[in-house]
Amino acid sequence: MNIEQIYTGCLAEAAYYIESNGEAAIIDPLREVAPYLKKAAKDNAKIRYIFETHFHADFVSGHIDLAEKSGATIVYGPTAKTSFKSHVAKDGEQFKIGELTIVALHTPGHTPESTTYLLIDKHGKPYCIFTGDTLFIGDVGRPDLAQQGDLTMEDMAATLYDSLHQKILTLPDDILVYPAHGAGSACGKSMSKETFDTLGHQKAVNYALKAASKAQFIKEVTDGILPPPQYFAKNAAMNKHGYESVDDVYEKGLKPLTPGEFEAMANLTGALILDTRDPQVFSKAFVPSAINIGLNGQFAPWVGALITDLKQPLLLVCEPEKEAETITRLARVGYDNTIGYLAGGIAAWQKAGKETDAVQSISAMEFEGIANEDATVQVLDVRKAGEYESEHLEMTMTRPLDDINDWTNGLDHKETYYVHCAGGYRSMIAASILKARGIDHVVDIAGGYAAIKNTALKRTDFACPPKAMKG
């Protein structure tokens, strides 16, 4: 028996590879399917099933491409309806993978079709459960994403409580829990950094499982839920109804363009120029109007949160040899319309004599001196509301990056704005967007609030932030 968790940190997503006696199954695959095919080939195994725990909202699954390339059957839980060929399992239905048995346990609540897959070993012993977004390590799935008709999120939370107590908590305490996500995912609010655990330990430490009653459970899991990122519903629709082959996405996007071709393409198509370099490298010189979302961070979730049109044409500026990785990570969240990249990167652009822009970046110590001289300095804190509420500079205005499309119109284009986040990643995203929208006087505070705390600038007292669903 071989069970492998394939964890993708930038998405906080876990897929699973299961193999026994030359047969394999994949659970919740990512968009790029080559790694699963390679694992099966290495084991000389045939992929028989692709099990989906639910219609994922925070990424596009690779189920369709993987089924086409492997001949495997796509399996969803009860009530699922797809626009492609799939097997809708009955509650309790069993599937054989070599000497292993996988049982579909219908566990609605996060979504109506949510299903937990119980793996039973060759001795007939329950070994582990693949819980999708029903049960996380330290949390449970948010119940507000798939409300239907008259059903409220409280109704879905009540259903989730029943699923947990009737289908999961009745299983042996020593069974392993393998969820679809870990800390950093927007699908839960209190997820642990651990990516698996025993069910018995979760009973002891998971706040939701310790609720004394259904009413308390409903109150706790619905408290503080923030609106989901705008791309969630669009990704769920792609998972239900299908999408463009990822091979075609690569073919379309991996087109090297000279600076002249790049500029012409941008003008002709209205493409958004996405620069994925490190924030501090980007700040020194970039193509005018480019938006910086660095690969070395929560890249795909921030693309999904800020670029509202999945069909938006994209032109890329990347570090050398990072173009394919960028296209892969865009495709994971449904952005399939990359139309080329700047060959040779920003160095080629500068060598061609093309105009560049820059964002001034200063240290926290430099900012301290400026703030001490000018009490009216305009400072934008682009961290999440909960981060701001827990502690912030007294002089700052809260302007969460998540909501930047709502608040930029209220800024004065003649003012100078100093921008910071927690560590510098999000502030450069914000600064690049402000520059692209015509706000020329933007200064990034390098190192963010972590660096600012080392200055003598006045801060509010720390207050433990309330639980809030991460968005």
Side-chain angles (χ1 to χ4, degrees):
M1 176 174 69
N2 177 20
I3 300 173
E4 184 175 348
Q5 183 184 68
I6 306 166
Y7 196 79
T8 305
C10 60
L11 273 182
E13 191 272 347
Y16 296 90
Y17 171 80
I18 304 163
E19 185 274 331
S20 173
N21 278 11
E23 294 186 334
I26 312 295
I27 296 179
D28 293 339
L30 279 183
R31 184 79 180 272
E32 66 278 16
V33 302
Y36 314 117
L37 296 169
K38 287 179 181 177
K39 286 182 183 296
K42 182 181 177 183
D43 292 338
N44 197 25
K46 177 176 175 56
I47 301 175
R48 291 197 61 194
Y49 296 106
I50 302 158
F51 294 105
E52 292 284 2
T53 57
H54 63 294
F55 290 122
H56 308 282
D58 57 327
F59 69 93
V60 179
S61 173
H63 54 323
I64 298 174
D65 279 345
L66 185 56
E68 182 177 327
K69 293 182 177 184
S70 68
T73 299
I74 300 170
V75 179
Y76 274 96
T79 78
K81 295 180 181 178
T82 67
S83 297
F84 48 85
K85 184 179 179 182
S86 64
H87 177 83
V88 177
K90 298 180 178 64
D91 188 23
E93 186 172 349
Q94 298 186 3
F95 302 84
K96 296 294 291 185
I97 304 293
E99 295 181 305
L100 308 177
T101 301
I102 293 180
V103 184
L105 304 177
H106 189 205
T107 50
H110 174 65
T111 63
E113 80 289 346
S114 284
T115 296
T116 293
Y117 295 100
L118 167 65
L119 186 145
I120 299 173
D121 67 19
K122 65 180 181 179
H123 304 295
K125 184 181 186 300
Y127 179 79
C128 65
I129 46 176
F130 302 95
T131 55
D133 287 17
T134 296
L135 174 62
F136 298 123
I137 308 307
D139 205 355
V140 295
R142 57 190 295 169
D144 65 315
L145 296 183
Q147 303 163 57
Q148 296 180 337
D150 295 330
L151 290 176
T152 64
M153 70 174 175
E154 287 78 14
D155 294 328
M156 294 297 287
T159 301
L160 180 58
Y161 177 90
D162 292 338
S163 292
L164 289 165
H165 283 262
Q166 294 171 15
K167 297 289 183 67
I168 292 179
L169 298 183
T170 57
L171 295 168
D173 282 355
D174 64 350
I175 204 167
L176 293 173
V177 177
Y178 287 122
H181 296 293
S185 169
C187 294
K189 60 186 176 183
S190 298
M191 289 188 223
S192 168
K193 64 180 180 180
E194 304 299 329
T195 60
F196 68 95
D197 197 3
T198 64
L199 182 58
H201 189 246
Q202 281 303 293
K203 289 179 182 178
V205 301
N206 189 313
Y207 79 96
L209 301 187
K210 294 195 296 181
S213 65
K214 182 186 285 191
Q216 183 185 348
F217 176 91
I218 293 170
K219 183 178 185 303
E220 291 200 11
V221 301
T222 58
D223 183 45
I225 293 182
L226 297 175
Q230 61 85 27
Y231 70 100
F232 269 29
K234 300 168 187 176
N235 277 194
M238 291 176 72
N239 285 323
K240 288 180 184 179
H241 303 303
Y243 46 73
E244 186 176 1
S245 166
V246 74
D247 293 337
D248 293 339
V249 174
Y250 287 131
E251 184 178 353
K252 180 173 57 179
L254 284 173
K255 289 181 179 176
L257 302 171
T258 66
E261 291 170 334
F262 187 91
E263 186 174 44
M265 186 73 80
N267 292 333
L268 179 67
T269 64
L272 185 150
I273 300 171
L274 182 61
D275 191 318
T276 67
R277 294 175 296 151
D278 179 82
Q280 290 302 311
V281 175
F282 167 86
S283 70
K284 295 177 175 61
F286 55 87
V287 177
S289 298
I291 303 302
N292 174 239
I293 305 180
L295 274 183
N296 295 325
Q298 294 288 313
F299 173 74
W302 279 116
V303 168
L306 298 172
I307 302 176
T308 57
D309 182 4
L310 264 64
K311 298 186 182 301
Q312 168 70 51
L314 300 173
L315 286 167
L316 304 180
V317 181
C318 307
E319 295 288 356
E321 309 301 323
K322 291 291 185 179
E323 296 85 11
E325 179 186 346
T326 301
I327 292 170
T328 295
R329 291 170 68 174
L330 287 166
R332 286 174 181 168
V333 286
Y335 291 82
D336 291 354
N337 206 14
T338 299
I339 57 175
Y341 65 90
L342 180 59
I346 196 67
W349 183 265
Q350 291 173 307
K351 188 176 181 180
K354 300 292 185 181
E355 179 186 358
T356 61
D357 202 347
V359 170
Q360 184 183 3
S361 185
I362 63 173
S363 70
M365 298 298 288
E366 289 176 287
F367 172 68
E368 181 181 20
I370 293 168
N372 285 334
E373 291 180 7
D374 182 2
T376 64
V377 66
Q378 300 286 303
V379 190
L380 308 179
D381 185 334
V382 299
R383 296 176 299 161
K384 294 180 183 294
E387 294 173 275
Y388 180 85
E389 290 164 9
S390 68
E391 188 180 14
H392 60 267
L393 284 177
E394 289 185 353
M395 68 181 72
T396 53
M397 297 179 283
T398 177
R399 295 293 185 273
L401 177 59
D402 307 68
D403 305 323
I404 196 168
N405 292 324
D406 299 325
W407 55 257
T408 46
N409 287 340
L411 299 183
D412 185 345
H413 286 221
K414 297 178 182 178
E415 279 280 2
T416 296
Y417 292 98
Y418 295 82
V419 184
H420 81 82
C421 59
Y425 180 80
R426 289 173 286 177
S427 61
M428 193 59 70
I429 299 174
S432 68
I433 293 173
L434 296 182
K435 291 279 285 189
R437 294 179 181 178
I439 301 171
D440 293 326
H441 307 296
V442 182
V443 181
D444 173 66
I445 305 173
Y449 194 69
I452 290 170
K453 289 179 72 171
N454 295 321
T455 71
L457 294 171
K458 289 184 179 180
R459 309 191 304 270
T460 60
D461 293 333
F462 177 79
C464 184
K467 284 181 181 177
M469 188 69 70
K470 294 178 180 179

